[in-house]
């Protein structure tokens, strides 16, 4: 989603439909398609044929799954989709589904493949595999136990994996079918392709070529999904929906709400009022920075509410992390409702909901949203307050939100900032939350981030922050004994936040950061660095 200036057109005019069978990689498929500047949406595998027709995709991608196609009740698509005349790409289980549905055979394999595999081209491959193979072979990431044993009459084999593939598990001679395509003389519909490996993951080094070829060469899509096109389309939709009515936005200072504020201000100007609740658990100078960016420089109408005393009062004596989250979330809603009641004529509530939120909500209806989400997105308020909901970013992944923010002219430091939990420092102060602890942690955290910015590490790190530990240790400063608090530093690298590992900051840099914190933050005499991966740990401490 490169920052290409808008030149007209609907960014949704050409789209790829992804039918999800429950793969852990499904969101990656959607992201790879969007990196081609083509819009994609994820829907459940049992999407009705009527709904698929209404969606009008240029192509369909079938995801992987942990299930087996030969099991009773195995997830399957409406077979009418094969007759819609649009190309289909099946990945892992998706390939097995294609083959099984159209006359081939899938079985459990004696040799399973998990990890890297050497994939070898068989005969001439169709254009969708252009630049994927290098001198007839490539490396790909496998994750399957079942495999296609007979492609049937519709498909021919395009590639096989060798039994010496790295990561293969179990005994078994011979090759395994790794890719198939429909034979034009046996299949008169749009072309069908299946790959046993996962082209969407970074572990398949040339997988991007396969996705691009499918989107551009096979599905004939243009590059309409750009920040400029999205902004123009979103502004038009907001103006059409809102008309002359007023909109309320809960501004947190995070990336999502910041981009919503900038987008809505461009769309409806003074019809937007943002409420910024300062709960006393923000980063150093964050409240002033939010007001400066939006109220002073962008002209957004922002109401700042100083609610520090109320939040800290409610948290007094509370040590359980979940209870702290609930208190912070409920108090935020209470304060927000009070301020909203003072603003006359509001008919809409804007939220920073993004596409992963939508996917998780659709796929896990039984799950209860955590208070962190209520804090960010003011969950439940539209119904309680009788407001209509406005979610202009609900189609975007986080990286796309940042690119839209860049196009809207938001400061780099704001749109590139690391994730910050909804309860703020409330869950980075272990145990009871007190104002002196929050003030101490704010200063230590600011020093840590300042040093990361100065060294250039900040943009290479996915998330970095300081944690206040409610324990004291003995130290010595000058000629005297100290008995002060401990601060832990945390910095991780990750692509999906589902797994993460410690970022390898040099010892010299850590020593410099620790020295500054101890010398510049009264009350701290010891700094430690958290080197735990996720799993077994989590990124946040609470």
């Amino acid at each position: 989603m490169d920052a290409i200036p808008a030149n007209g057109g609907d960014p949704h005019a050409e789209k790829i439909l992804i039918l999800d069978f429950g793969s852990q990689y499904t969101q990656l498929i959607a992201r790879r398609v969007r990196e081609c500047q083509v819009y994609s949406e994820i829907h459940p595998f049992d999407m009705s044929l009527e709904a698929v027709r209404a969606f009008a995709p240029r192509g369909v991608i079938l995801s992987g799954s942990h299930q087996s196609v030969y099991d009773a009740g195995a997830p399957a698509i409406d077979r009418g989709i094969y007759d819609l005349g649009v190309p289909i790409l099946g990945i892992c289980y998706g390939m097995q589904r294609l083959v099984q549905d159209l006359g081939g055979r899938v079985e459990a394999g004696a040799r399973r493949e998990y990890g890297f595999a050497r994939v070898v081209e068989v005969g001439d491959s169709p254009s969708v595999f252009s630049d994927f193979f290098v001198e007839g072979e490539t490396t790909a990431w496998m994750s399957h136990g079942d495999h296609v044993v007979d492609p049937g009459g519709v498909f021919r084999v395009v590639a096989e994996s060798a039994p010496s593939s790295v990561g293969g598990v179990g005994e078994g001679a011979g090759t395994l079918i790794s890719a198939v395509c429909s034979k034009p003389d046996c299949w008169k519909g749009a072309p069908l392709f299946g790959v046993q490996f996962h082209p969407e993951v970074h572990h398949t080094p040339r997988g991007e070529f396969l996705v691009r070829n499918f989107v551009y060469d096979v599905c004939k899509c243009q590059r309409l999904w750009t920040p400029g096109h999205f902004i123009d389309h979103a502004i038009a939709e907001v103006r059409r929906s809102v008309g002359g009515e007023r909109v309320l936005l809960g501004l947190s200072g995070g990336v999502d709400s910041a981009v919503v504020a900038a987008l809505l201000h461009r769309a409806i100007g003074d019809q937007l009022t943002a409420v910024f609740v300062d709960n006393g658990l923000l980063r150093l100078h964050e409240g002033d920075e939010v007001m400066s960016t939006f109220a002073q420089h962008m002209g957004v109408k922002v109401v700042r509410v100083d609610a520090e005393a109320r939040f800290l009062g409610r948290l007094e004596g509370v040590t359980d992390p979940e209870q702290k989250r609930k208190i912070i979330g409920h108090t935020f809603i209470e304060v927000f409702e009070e301020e909203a009641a003072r603003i006359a004529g509001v008919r809409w509530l804007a939220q920073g909901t993004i596409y992963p939120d939508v996917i998780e909500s659709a796929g896990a209806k039984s799950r209860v949203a955590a208070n962190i989400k209520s804090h960010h997105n003011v969950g439940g308020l539209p119904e309680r307050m009788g407001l209509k909901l406005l979610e202009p970013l609900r189609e975007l992944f986080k990286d796309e939100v940042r690119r839209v923010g860049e196009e809207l002219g938001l400061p780099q430091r704001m749109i590139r900032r690391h994730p910050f939990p909804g309860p703020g420092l409330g869950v980075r102060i272990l145990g009871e939350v007190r104002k002196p602890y929050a003030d101490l942690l704010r200063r230590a955290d600011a020093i840590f981030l300042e040093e990361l910015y100065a060294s250039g590490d900040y943009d290479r790190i996915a998330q970095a922050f300081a944690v206040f530990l409610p324990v004291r240790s003995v130290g010595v400063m000058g000629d005297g004994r100290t008995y002060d608090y401990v601060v832990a530093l945390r910095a991780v690298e990750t692509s999906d936040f589902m797994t993460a590992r410690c970022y390898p900051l040099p010892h010299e840099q850590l020593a410099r950061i620790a020295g500054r914190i101890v010398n510049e933050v009264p009350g701290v005499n010891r700094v430690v660095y958290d080197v735990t991966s996720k799993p077994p740990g989590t990124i946040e401490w609470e």
Side-chain angles (χ1 to χ4, degrees), residues 351-382:
Q351 293 187 170
T353 306
I354 63 175
Y355 196 45
D357 302 330
V358 176
I359 296 169
E360 289 165 12
S361 175
K365 293 289 187 183
S366 63
R367 260 190 259 163
V368 178
N371 281 329
I372 181 172
K373 190 59 62 181
S374 296
H375 181 61
H376 274 303
N377 290 347
V378 204
L381 281 181

Side-chain angles (χ1 to χ4, degrees), residues 158-409:
V158 172
E160 297 174 336
S161 59
S164 60
S165 294
V166 178
V169 179
E171 298 295 328
T175 57
L176 299 180
I177 295 173
S178 293
V180 298
C181 70
S182 56
K183 297 185 285 190
D185 55 336
C186 299
W187 179 255
K188 302 305 180 183
L192 309 175
F193 308 94
V195 293
Q196 188 58 68
F197 49 85
H198 288 273
E200 70 273 26
V201 302
H202 290 298
H203 296 308
T204 300
R206 303 184 71 79
E208 63 185 279
F209 290 107
L210 195 152
V211 176
R212 286 181 191 172
N213 292 337
F214 180 73
V215 169
Y216 295 149
D217 299 337
V218 179
C219 299
K220 308 299 181 185
C221 292
Q222 306 298 313
R223 302 183 180 193
L224 300 179
W225 185 248
T226 68
H229 283 144
F230 173 82
I231 290 169
D232 283 353
H233 182 76
I235 287 174
E237 284 296 301
V238 167
R239 289 172 177 168
R240 181 188 62 78
S241 299
V242 171
E245 295 176 332
R246 299 187 66 181
V247 178
L248 183 68
L249 169 67
L251 188 61
S252 70
V255 176
D256 301 335
S257 71
V259 174
V260 170
L263 181 65
L264 292 181
H265 181 65
R266 183 176 292 190
I268 57 175
D270 288 343
Q271 291 171 241
L272 171 68
T273 299
V275 174
F276 174 61
V277 179
D278 188 340
N279 59 8
L281 301 171
L282 302 174
R283 289 165 284 201
L284 189 66
H285 305 313
E286 186 163 26
D288 294 338
E289 289 173 1
V290 168
M291 295 302 294
S292 174
T293 298
F294 290 99
Q296 297 173 29
H297 297 300
M298 295 181 61
V300 178
K301 191 187 304 178
V302 183
V303 177
R304 181 175 182 175
V305 185
D306 183 0
E308 179 182 72
R310 189 187 304 194
F311 277 86
L312 295 183
R314 300 271 177 89
L315 291 167
E316 187 174 347
V318 179
T319 59
D320 179 72
E322 287 308 307
Q323 192 176 356
K324 288 195 291 184
R325 287 179 181 272
K326 289 178 181 178
I327 290 171
I328 294 169
H330 292 162
T331 305
F332 178 86
I333 290 175
E334 178 184 293
V335 174
F336 188 82
E337 284 182 312
E338 291 172 1
E339 293 304 316
R342 296 187 176 98
I343 303 171
V346 172
R347 295 290 178 268
W348 294 82
L349 178 71
Q351 293 187 170
T353 306
I354 63 175
Y355 196 45
D357 302 330
V358 176
I359 296 169
E360 289 165 12
S361 175
K365 293 289 187 183
S366 63
R367 260 190 259 163
V368 178
N371 281 329
I372 181 172
K373 190 59 62 181
S374 296
H375 181 61
H376 274 303
N377 290 347
V378 204
L381 281 181
E383 184 177 343
R384 289 175 58 167
M385 299 170 65
L387 299 178
K388 294 175 283 187
L389 190 60
L390 192 62
E391 298 173 311
L393 306 184
R394 64 180 286 111
E395 296 175 335
L396 302 183
F397 286 106
K398 178 69 80 172
D399 57 323
E400 294 174 321
V401 172
R402 296 185 195 280
R403 289 169 192 157
V404 167
E406 288 177 347
E407 188 84 353
L408 289 167

Side-chain angles (χ1 to χ4, degrees), residues 429-450:
I429 298 170
L430 303 195
E432 183 183 6
V433 176
R434 298 178 182 176
K435 180 172 171 52
Y437 298 168
D439 291 340
L440 181 154
L441 180 57
R442 258 189 285 273
R443 296 179 64 181
D445 185 74
I447 290 170
F448 185 29
L449 299 186
E450 181 182 307

